Amino acid sequence: RLLRSSGCHAPCPPCPHSPRYRPLRPHQPGQEHRQAYAVSENAGMQHSAESWGTGRAVARIPRISGGGTHRSGQGAFGNQCRGGRMFAPTKTFRRWHRKVNINQRRYALCSALAAASVVPLVMARGHRIEKVPEIPLVVQDGVEAVTKTKDAMKVLKTLKADSEVEKVKESVAMRAGKGKM
């Protein structure tokens, strides 16, 4: 059924039956939108350090040169050293994306759309849809003409979907630390 922004029903165009929801293998979705990450190439390698060699009864790891500080003589560069680089530093040229067969991608899309009409699944994701008349909630194209937030909130209140907006408003938090600057 199709809902008008006023909340009453409108005639709905015929649509093909969607497949029943069937869970996919979990590794398939989201494999084509990953963002590369890596540590700095110079991280942990910016010391003037050299190995003392053999014959001093210490490990042959490179050691910080100089004197007059606790840091001199301490191990450097190695992944087991304080301030050293990590083992096998991450690189941006890792193979981030995986090819997924087109039929599997189409099946995943249909399955996701079908899952959106299963109320327990939608509620399990934390959506507040107790008062919504039906799931999926389909509204007329006229809603796209709404430009002001006040009017959009009025439409959502009419459709009894305003509790979902309240949940979103409560979940917005300030990022901790310096990241928010």
Side-chain angles (χ1 to χ4, degrees):
R1 294 185 303 178
L2 188 68
L3 286 175
R4 291 197 175 97
S5 55
S6 60
C8 58
H9 293 286
C12 190
C15 63
H17 295 291
S18 62
R20 282 206 315 271
Y21 163 73
R22 277 181 243 149
L24 286 166
R25 294 198 306 232
H27 74 272
Q28 285 179 348
Q31 288 280 320
E32 63 281 347
H33 298 298
R34 293 182 68 196
Q35 189 170 346
Y37 63 84
V39 294
S40 169
E41 262 182 58
N42 300 324
M45 300 295 288
Q46 301 180 82
H47 305 288
S48 62
E50 222 175 318
S51 173
W52 288 354
T54 57
R56 294 238 211 160
V58 289
R60 290 180 288 188
I61 194 82
R63 292 171 186 280
I64 303 287
S65 55
T69 173
H70 289 300
R71 188 70 174 116
S72 54
Q74 288 183 354
F77 299 158
N79 61 315
Q80 73 274 37
C81 298
R82 175 177 169 272
R85 53 153 175 74
M86 67 182 284
F87 165 74
T90 48
K91 303 287 184 189
T92 53
F93 51 78
R94 182 188 293 193
R95 187 167 158 245
W96 299 102
H97 308 304
R98 299 287 181 274
K99 181 182 174 292
V100 178
N101 295 341
I102 191 106
N103 277 351
Q104 285 180 316
R105 270 187 277 168
R106 285 174 182 157
Y107 190 95
L109 181 67
C110 292
S111 188
L113 286 171
S117 63
V118 181
V119 176
L121 282 174
V122 176
M123 289 181 78
R125 289 191 61 81
H127 295 290
R128 303 258 174 89
I129 54 166
E130 297 86 9
K131 297 175 187 164
V132 176
E134 62 186 357
I135 294 292
L137 183 64
V138 183
V139 292
Q140 277 189 324
D141 289 345
V143 175
E144 291 179 18
V146 175
T147 52
K148 296 188 78 66
T149 309
K150 182 171 62 174
D151 300 335
M153 282 301 296
K154 232 181 261 180
V155 170
L156 287 169
K157 200 174 185 83
T158 312
L159 299 171
K160 297 186 176 76
D162 53 335
S163 57
E164 175 73 10
V165 179
E166 290 302 317
K167 181 206 63 146
V168 172
K169 271 162 72 174
E170 288 164 17
S171 70
V172 173
M174 180 73 83
R175 181 189 289 272
K178 292 185 177 180
K180 59 180 169 283
M181 291 178 173

